[in-house]
Amino acid sequence: MTFHTAMQGRLRSTARLSVLAAALLAIGAAPALMSAAVAASASASVSWQEASGDADIERAFTQARGEKKPVLLYWGAKWCPPCNQLKATLFNRADFIEQSRAFVAVHIDGDNPGAQRLGARFKVRGYPTMILFGNDGQEITRLPGEVDAPQVLRVLQLGLAGGRPVKTVLADAQAGKKLAANEWKLLGFYSWETDEQQLVPAAQRPALLAKLAAASQGVDDETTTRLWLKALAATEGGGTLKADAALKARVEKVLADADAARAQMDVLSNNGDDIVRALAPSAGAERQALVGKFDVALKRFEGDASLSRADRLQSLIARVELARLDQKKDELQPKLPAALLAEVKAQAAKVDKEVTDGYERQAVITSAAYVLGRAGLWSDSDALLKASLAKSHSPYYLMSSLGGNARKQGRKEEALRWYEEAFNKSEGPATRLQWGSSYLSALVELAPQDSARIEKAAAQLLAEAEKDKGAFYERSARSLQKVGGQLVAWNAGGQHEATLARLRTQLDGVCAKQEASDKGACESLLKKKG
């Protein structure tokens, strides 16, 4: 998967965060917290403690033990659309700020010096990831940071109420032991997407979720449904989970019930196409009937004023993906209903006009540009991104999207210009390595004959790595490994050996300055794989 494709995948799950009142009502929160719809005052905010290294983390846990509080760790990045949506809709709300007094809040910006080392320590990769720890350092649960705010609050409340670590709860569930309803909720609302194989290997996730769904039957129907939907979504249309008539009927019943569907909004909007593929693997009347039922539910979400703009826009994205379901995945000009095309254009124009908050724009505009492209409205997508560059605090993210648009349409040189500008404008050590890796990947694919340009980009990346003490950890390490693998493959026939020799000499200098534990990873970058 290319870096830009991965970014598109994240855009499809761009933070779907909405109002908190439903969750607080569901968990019986105190009256003081019931004013969930009231935004925080300008003077109030979460008291985040910034962490860049182990000493910062130990300081936070020492405080937590002294105050007998858990620790909430938030891992994010300035440019990340879902992170910006969290800032726009959850972190600045009065109810969440009030709730934050019950825990020690720790923020790790992925671009802080040393942050990627901490990423390796806590096994966090995707932005955003939120983890609730006991003050003893034991992980209680991973919060669903890319779904709507009521779910975040629900899981947070379960954790703050002294719940057992999700790992222990899962072990008991697998052993067939009886769980309380709230423990099933903990499993249902666990952030399986950011698990990073802490609880289960990704390939085994659909089967595990299906087993949990079956075991939870009769305890809490909403949680059982959520687990089944998560199991279907985890197949990503691959068919590893066989869906019977009863499961299909359960999904259709949820889609037809406005309240039940609203409770599962995030899974239905984020994974509608995968769920349909799992339930109806082949094109035909059965699949189209299911798509029609999904479309009705998704339209309801679009018209739900209690949802954030990002939630409503994600529902529109889901409708476009479902309309494309039987067409080629990479079709540039899909055949879509005229009414749907008109709605895509209208909604993109509406959010562009209405959204002025910088955090929200970073989340919503990228999604709007993405859905315009998926609808085949490429010129509209480009125009929206270009017009938003000056309004974005991280315009390099939008530049990468422009590069991706041009790349898909075969405008190679234009794509390379955007990728190069995105790299040049990117900020932060991990981000610069990531964006530089994206640029070099595009160069190797689109202009393999331009060895001078490829060498210049690679040399710049190695210079960036030399300055970054966390270059061989987590996201940064993966960016460099990708670069190394592509350069070795580019030179498979030995035709660029002189270029590789110069880069290896530069790499030797970089590796000589690394700590002993990092030298092996550094020295392996430009070696041929055996």
Side-chain angles (χ1 to χ4, degrees):
M1 178 182 290
T2 66
F3 171 64
H4 189 73
T5 301
M7 285 203 298
Q8 286 184 325
R10 286 198 298 276
L11 277 176
R12 288 184 57 193
S13 59
T14 291
R16 297 108 191 167
L17 299 161
S18 59
V19 296
L20 307 174
L24 293 171
L25 285 166
I27 60 180
L33 296 181
M34 296 287 282
S35 56
V38 181
S41 68
S43 61
S45 63
V46 178
S47 298
W48 294 107
Q49 297 184 25
E50 296 294 328
S52 297
D54 290 327
D56 300 322
I57 296 296
E58 299 312 320
R59 191 179 306 114
F61 276 101
T62 297
Q63 177 187 338
R65 286 190 293 273
E67 298 177 0
K68 294 182 172 55
K69 293 179 178 180
V71 171
L72 179 67
L73 184 148
Y74 160 56
W75 162 263
K78 176 183 177 181
W79 51 265
C80 154
C83 305
N84 279 276
Q85 188 65 12
L86 279 172
K87 295 173 185 176
T89 58
L90 178 64
F91 292 165
N92 69 345
R93 294 184 64 90
D95 39 23
F96 182 80
I97 293 168
E98 177 64 25
Q99 194 68 65
S100 74
R101 313 305 181 209
F103 53 78
V104 175
V106 177
H107 172 223
I108 303 176
D109 184 322
D111 277 310
N112 283 348
Q116 295 301 319
R117 287 175 180 258
L118 289 180
R121 171 176 171 174
F122 292 115
K123 295 181 174 60
V124 291
R125 292 188 176 183
Y127 301 138
T129 298
M130 293 192 292
I131 308 177
L132 187 65
F133 293 93
N135 55 39
D136 59 357
Q138 189 171 20
E139 184 171 319
I140 297 174
T141 193
R142 298 197 171 204
L143 279 68
E146 293 191 3
V147 296
D148 70 336
Q151 295 165 352
V152 180
L153 260 290
R154 183 176 299 188
V155 179
L156 184 57
Q157 285 279 350
L158 291 174
L160 293 175
R164 296 187 296 158
V166 69
K167 188 174 184 179
T168 303
V169 174
L170 176 61
D172 283 354
Q174 290 180 294
K177 296 182 180 179
K178 186 176 180 179
L179 301 184
N182 279 348
E183 291 182 319
W184 281 115
K185 279 188 171 69
L186 194 69
L187 293 173
F189 284 92
Y190 178 71
S191 181
W192 296 97
E193 293 76 13
T194 61
D195 175 56
E196 301 302 343
Q197 307 193 93
Q198 297 300 290
L199 299 182
V200 61
Q204 298 175 21
R205 193 185 306 156
L208 172 63
L209 289 168
K211 181 180 178 181
L212 293 175
S216 70
Q217 197 82 24
V219 179
D220 180 86
D221 193 58
E222 182 181 307
T223 299
T224 298
T225 296
R226 171 165 289 271
L227 287 165
W228 276 122
L229 289 173
K230 285 284 188 181
L232 291 168
T235 67
E236 296 182 348
T240 56
L241 173 65
K242 285 195 173 183
D244 58 17
L247 180 52
K248 182 182 176 184
R250 175 183 285 271
V251 174
E252 291 180 342
K253 182 179 178 182
V254 169
L255 292 171
D257 185 322
D259 291 337
R262 176 64 177 81
Q264 311 291 350
M265 179 275 302
D266 57 296
V267 193
L268 297 174
S269 289
N270 299 349
N271 308 104
D273 52 345
D274 290 327
I275 293 171
V276 168
R277 286 192 190 95
L279 291 173
S282 302
E286 182 183 12
R287 173 182 281 187
Q288 286 308 308
L290 185 56
V291 167
K293 293 173 182 178
F294 255 94
D295 197 62
V296 171
L298 293 167
K299 283 181 180 178
R300 284 200 305 267
F301 299 155
E302 282 189 71
D304 189 341
S306 74
L307 292 172
S308 70
R309 291 185 184 92
D311 286 324
R312 299 196 295 268
L313 188 56
Q314 176 57 32
S315 297
L316 179 59
I317 292 173
R319 291 180 61 208
V320 170
E321 293 301 331
L322 287 168
R324 292 178 56 109
L325 203 57
D326 294 336
Q327 303 179 49
K328 291 181 180 178
K329 187 175 182 179
D330 56 354
E331 177 62 58
L332 294 178
Q333 297 295 334
K335 296 179 181 178
L336 301 181
L340 182 57
L341 283 173
E343 186 173 353
V344 169
K345 287 175 71 78
Q347 289 302 318
K350 183 178 180 181
V351 296
D352 183 34
K353 180 180 179 180
E354 292 181 350
V355 181
T356 57
D357 177 83
Y359 293 135
E360 190 178 9
R361 277 194 72 86
Q362 187 70 8
V364 174
I365 293 302
T366 47
S367 289
Y370 174 73
V371 72
L372 285 166
R374 291 298 286 168
L377 302 169
W378 295 103
S379 59
D380 296 86
S381 179
D382 286 345
L384 178 60
L385 289 167
K386 290 175 183 176
S388 300
L389 288 172
K391 302 175 184 178
S392 172
H393 58 62
S394 303
Y396 45 88
Y397 191 95
L398 278 63
M399 293 171 185
S400 291
S401 297
L402 283 162
N405 282 1
R407 189 178 193 169
K408 290 185 186 71
Q409 296 173 82
R411 303 196 302 268
K412 296 182 180 181
E413 191 52 44
E414 180 184 343
L416 290 175
R417 285 199 306 271
W418 280 119
Y419 282 129
E420 182 177 22
E421 187 171 0
F423 176 33
N424 290 338
K425 295 289 178 63
S426 61
E427 300 172 343
T431 293
R432 286 195 58 71
L433 287 177
Q434 193 169 344
W435 259 249
S437 169
S438 177
Y439 172 45
L440 189 135
S441 174
L443 277 172
V444 170
E445 177 189 333
L446 303 179
Q449 75 288 349
D450 197 341
S451 57
R453 200 172 176 185
I454 290 172
E455 181 176 358
K456 179 183 176 182
Q460 189 174 352
L461 276 169
L462 293 179
E464 297 279 349
E466 188 172 8
K467 296 182 291 184
D468 180 9
K469 292 184 178 181
F472 296 94
Y473 291 85
E474 283 301 329
R475 297 176 78 95
S476 295
R478 292 194 299 278
S479 295
L480 289 171
Q481 289 160 2
K482 177 181 175 181
V483 165
Q486 289 174 326
L487 289 171
V488 169
W490 176 63
N491 186 45
Q495 66 273 42
H496 304 295
E497 189 58 40
T499 298
L500 267 290
R502 289 189 292 271
L503 291 172
R504 289 190 183 107
T505 298
Q506 182 182 356
L507 181 63
D508 289 342
V510 174
C511 297
K513 297 179 181 179
Q514 301 304 310
E515 296 179 6
S517 59
D518 300 336
K519 285 185 183 293
C522 181
E523 292 167 351
S524 68
L525 285 183
L526 294 176
K527 288 183 178 179
K528 289 184 179 180
K529 301 297 184 289

